[in-house]
Amino acid sequence: MEFTWLSPFICLLLYFQAICSPSLPFPILCPHDQGLALLQIKKSFSTSTSASFVHHELESWKEGTDCCSWNGVECDTETGHVIGLNVSGRMLHGALNSNSTLFSLTHLQTLDLSNNDFSGSHIPSLFSHLLNLTCLNLSSSNVAGQVPSEISLLSKLVFLDLSFNENLVLETTSFTKVVQNLTKLRELSLSTVDMASVALHSLMNLSSSLSSLRLVSCALQGKFPDEIFHRSNLQLLDIEDNKDLTGSLPRFNGSSRLCSCNVMGSNFAFLGNLTQLTRLDLSGNNFNGQIPPSLGILEHLDFLDLSNNNFSGLFPFVVCNLTKLQFLSLSNNKITGIIPSQVGNFSSLNQLYLFENFQGSITAILVFSAFFENIFLGNNLFSGHLSQFQYNSSLKYIDLSSNLLDGPIPSSIANLVNLDSLILASNENLTGEIPFSICKLKYLRILDLSNNRLSGFIPRCLGNFSKSLEIIVLGNNTLEGPIPSSIFNLTNLFIVVLSPNKLIGDIPASICLLKLLEVVDLSNNNLGGSIPRCLENLSNIVLTPDNQVMSSAIGQVRVLSSIIFLDLSNNWLNGTIPSFLFNLSSLLYLYLGNNLLTGHISRLPSRSVMEVIDFSNNMLDGPIPISLFHLPSLRYLFLQNNSLTGRISQFQCHN
Ligand SMILES: *[C@@H]1O[C@H](CO)[C@@H](O)[C@H](O)[C@H]1NC(C)=O
Ligand SMILES: *[C@@H]1O[C@H](CO)[C@@H](O)[C@H](O)[C@H]1NC(C)=O
Ligand SMILES: *[C@@H]1O[C@H](CO)[C@@H](O)[C@H](O)[C@H]1NC(C)=O
Ligand SMILES: *[C@@H]1O[C@H](CO)[C@@H](O)[C@H](O)[C@H]1NC(C)=O
Ligand SMILES: *[C@@H]1O[C@H](CO)[C@@H](O)[C@H](O)[C@H]1NC(C)=O
Ligand SMILES: *[C@@H]1O[C@H](CO)[C@@H](O)[C@H](O)[C@H]1NC(C)=O
Ligand SMILES: *[C@@H]1O[C@H](CO)[C@@H](O)[C@H](O)[C@H]1NC(C)=O
Ligand SMILES: *[C@@H]1O[C@H](CO)[C@@H](O)[C@H](O)[C@H]1NC(C)=O
Ligand SMILES: *[C@@H]1O[C@H](CO)[C@@H](O)[C@H](O)[C@H]1NC(C)=O
Ligand SMILES: *[C@@H]1O[C@H](CO)[C@@H](O)[C@H](O)[C@H]1NC(C)=O
Ligand SMILES: *[C@@H]1O[C@H](CO)[C@@H](O)[C@H](O)[C@H]1NC(C)=O
Ligand SMILES: *[C@@H]1O[C@H](CO)[C@@H](O)[C@H](O)[C@H]1NC(C)=O
């Protein structure tokens, strides 16, 4: 059974077992006092600003009706007592006070208060009155302060979730009590609860039936006990992002069968119980040591994230035997060695993240790439040619940036028919032209070939992508020729970076067709001509709230242009600076330095949000408009090396 949905399933079972019971002799009626208590609860959270919404959410809770029929309320089929209350995500707003009638509902077995807003109030110690609780969920409910140690009195708890509450603190004495007394716990989630003071060895006293432990971002400190890894019932362990948590992966043991794994010449044999771990996330901690070959015993593992630690040693060949593994990340460790070609052999692994530190030939990986969807191999020492892309590969995302690849990008790249992102940046010996076949990748969204030694023209056929391409980064190559105007036929393009290269010619007027452009960097080329006038159209087209395009001059409407960053510096652009640039309502950064621009700087509208303006090293003349100094957001202004006149007062400099 898939673990991730196991827990809600069980919770639901507990919750609905009575309702679904086939023998209902006569309708059960809610005891009067418990109905009143529920109405009181509703009332105590109704005074908020979202009151009308709350009424709507709990509208079935009405005086004079049977509370057992109310939304989120469950009664015992025989006694009629309220044994289940689920107000998850009902937008309850207000403090959870200790005088709440909630704590008089002592028959409760399931209580789900998650996804509400209890205004940062403390968790009342009176929860300990609800002694029959098996399921308590306070996740994302904005409770704060110390978790009361009285929680440990709820010794029947099977599910306890206090996760994702900012400013909730669990002290070591409370935790020790919880751990010792909640012997039936199967799922414990305390993610983001501040557990900095908790002594980690107390984790060892956690219930032996524990199957899921989530302690993400809990500020855990010290050494994580090995013993936890050996729990035969544990299916999920997620202790991500505890920077001061150290530890290492132990030698795993326990297997009902004799498993003989020949790993790099040594034989390992295991006897004992099979571990059930399906998901292991240790990322973002300070674990170290090698990844033990015995990891291969975790045969149910489908998710393994060991990234951002200090693991060292060779690539663990044994992952080849984890036949259910779908996700593997070893990024940002100190693991070296080569990646065995067999890694691609198992069909289930489809996400491989191995940023940093690996070496070897890329060929082996590409041969098996047919099995992967995402491979993240950036910042390694992979060498070799990109020659063997498999036909009909399932690859969607390939990142081979910052490696030692050389030679050309082969036209067989077109075989990766499902490719969404192609990132081959920063391989200084990647040479040759951009193959035309790249244009056959009809789903391509992100193309980053920057910081290579690619030459030749930018293929005109890039315009064929029309709908899919969103990001084009081809900067820092030696591309020449004009910018194909077809590039600006890509209606979804929002980032285009072509700097630096050796591109010539004019900036194609088709740039003005792009309504989604946010970042345009064409700087450091040999582009000439003037700044396309048609850009003005972008600032004139406006959208009404109901998305009808109409002419400007109507207030309150959103200007369609979305350009945030425009860098055309270091080219041979001539003509004047078009005043409409100042009307691009989203523009924050404007770099036009080192061109041949002439004429005056026109007045800037005071509503401009620009933060950086660089007009330096041009041939501008006339006075510096005072309005430049009144721009509320301006932080950097470069005007040097022009023929501008006027005075810049001290006041202006301080502004
Ligand atoms: C409570 O109800 C929500 C849906 O409103 C559901 O997702 C959740 O699983 C329920 N909680 C329990 C403990 O059954
Ligand atoms: C419960 O306590 C809160 C704060 O202590 C108080 O504001 C509220 O009036 C009390 N409610 C009742 C019903 O006593
Ligand atoms: C708690 O559960 C026990 C055992 O199921 C039952 O006998 C007892 O009546 C319950 N207590 C309440 C207050 O419902
Ligand atoms: C608690 O509620 C949250 C949000 O509704 C849910 O994601 C989580 O799985 C629940 N916890 C348990 C242990 O059921
Ligand atoms: C553990 O639970 C039992 C029964 O609920 C209770 O009597 C005892 O005081 C609890 N111990 C701690 C340390 O909370
Ligand atoms: C585990 O609990 C027992 C008492 O039940 C206690 O004696 C022991 O010290 C605890 N161990 C840890 C590591 O907290
Ligand atoms: C994987 O397991 C098989 C037997 O199931 C064994 O023959 C092989 O040596 C193992 N390989 C590794 C790398 O552990
Ligand atoms: C193996 O599991 C069984 C049943 O779950 C248990 O009784 C036994 O003690 C376990 N053996 C080991 C070595 O953990
Ligand atoms: C690139 O090629 C040059 C010349 O062959 C070589 O000296 C250099 O080391 C190569 N760079 C890398 C990163 O492989
Ligand atoms: C340009 O690319 C080369 C080769 O990858 C790299 O060494 C250089 O740092 C890059 N320059 C910039 C400005 O990024
Ligand atoms: C841009 O697309 C239009 C049709 O959408 C087409 O007619 C035109 O030729 C294309 N322009 C270029 C330069 O590819
Ligand atoms: C601007 O440059 C273009 C060529 O890049 C040239 O044809 C044109 O005459 C220049 N215009 C001015 C006013 O210098």
Side-chain angles (χ1 to χ4, degrees), residues 341-553:
S341 55
Q342 300 99 297
V343 154
N345 254 342
F346 35 165
S347 51
S348 52
L349 188 65
N350 55 35
Q351 313 230 47
L352 181 60
Y353 296 71
L354 301 175
F355 287 113
E356 308 244 323
N357 278 342
F358 291 94
Q359 58 193 19
S361 165
I362 198 65
T363 315
I365 292 183
L366 297 181
V367 167
F368 291 100
S369 63
F371 302 100
F372 294 112
E373 276 185 16
N374 299 337
I375 54 180
F376 296 80
L377 304 174
N379 276 307
N380 286 297
L381 300 171
F382 289 116
S383 56
H385 298 334
L386 290 170
S387 48
Q388 295 195 39
F389 289 111
Q390 295 294 291
Y391 185 66
N392 217 4
S393 158
S394 53
L395 261 186
K396 289 193 177 129
Y397 197 111
I398 181 166
D399 182 350
L400 290 168
S401 57
S402 299
N403 277 290
L404 305 175
L405 304 176
D406 58 18
I409 300 173
S411 58
S412 64
I413 191 95
N415 290 340
L416 306 178
V417 289
N418 294 309
L419 211 57
D420 164 279
S421 302
L422 178 63
I423 301 175
L424 300 176
S426 301
N427 287 278
E428 68 172 26
N429 286 339
L430 207 59
T431 53
E433 303 193 352
I434 301 174
F436 289 119
S437 66
I438 215 168
C439 304
K440 291 188 183 153
L441 302 173
K442 60 181 175 191
Y443 302 116
L444 200 63
R445 220 165 38 82
I446 300 176
L447 177 64
D448 183 353
L449 305 177
S450 60
N451 301 326
N452 291 308
R453 273 203 286 139
L454 301 174
S455 54
F457 287 21
I458 298 176
R460 241 193 304 180
C461 65
L462 278 188
N464 297 356
F465 286 103
S466 65
K467 288 262 152 45
S468 67
L469 261 186
E470 293 174 8
I471 297 177
I472 298 182
V473 184
L474 302 177
N476 196 12
N477 282 289
T478 51
L479 299 170
E480 52 197 352
I483 300 176
S485 66
S486 65
I487 279 201
F488 300 113
N489 241 12
L490 303 170
T491 44
N492 289 317
L493 197 64
F494 74 97
I495 296 179
V496 51
V497 179
L498 304 178
S499 160
N501 275 294
K502 295 179 173 169
L503 302 171
I504 55 165
D506 294 355
I507 299 172
S510 55
I511 193 172
C512 308
L513 299 173
L514 294 181
K515 308 276 187 278
L516 301 179
L517 267 188
E518 286 182 12
V519 174
V520 183
D521 186 353
L522 309 179
S523 64
N524 296 297
N525 279 291
N526 295 321
L527 300 172
S530 56
I531 298 170
R533 296 280 136 182
C534 61
L535 273 174
E536 187 165 16
N537 299 340
L538 287 185
S539 61
N540 275 339
I541 301 172
V542 290
L543 273 186
T544 58
D546 56 358
N547 275 344
Q548 276 183 327
V549 178
M550 46 187 293
S551 64
S552 68

Side-chain angles (χ1 to χ4, degrees), residues 131 152-153 155 177 181:
L131 279 172
S152 67
L153 295 171
S155 55
K177 285 185 187 169
N181 226 21

Side-chain angles (χ1 to χ4, degrees), residues 22 65 100 153 162 170 186 191 282 286 325 342 384 387 390 403 432 449 453 465 510 540 549 551 563 576 630 654:
T65 60
S100 170
L153 295 171
L162 304 178
L170 185 50
R186 262 188 272 157
S191 295
L282 304 181
N286 199 8
L325 200 62
Q342 300 99 297
S387 48
Q390 295 294 291
N403 277 290
L449 305 177
R453 273 203 286 139
F465 286 103
S510 55
N540 275 339
V549 178
S551 64
I563 296 187
T576 57
H630 294 299
H654 283 290

Side-chain angles (χ1 to χ4, degrees), residues 176 179-181 199-206:
T176 308
V179 155
Q180 283 175 14
N181 226 21
L200 291 178
H201 61 88
S202 56
L203 287 171
M204 293 197 284
N205 267 353
L206 273 168

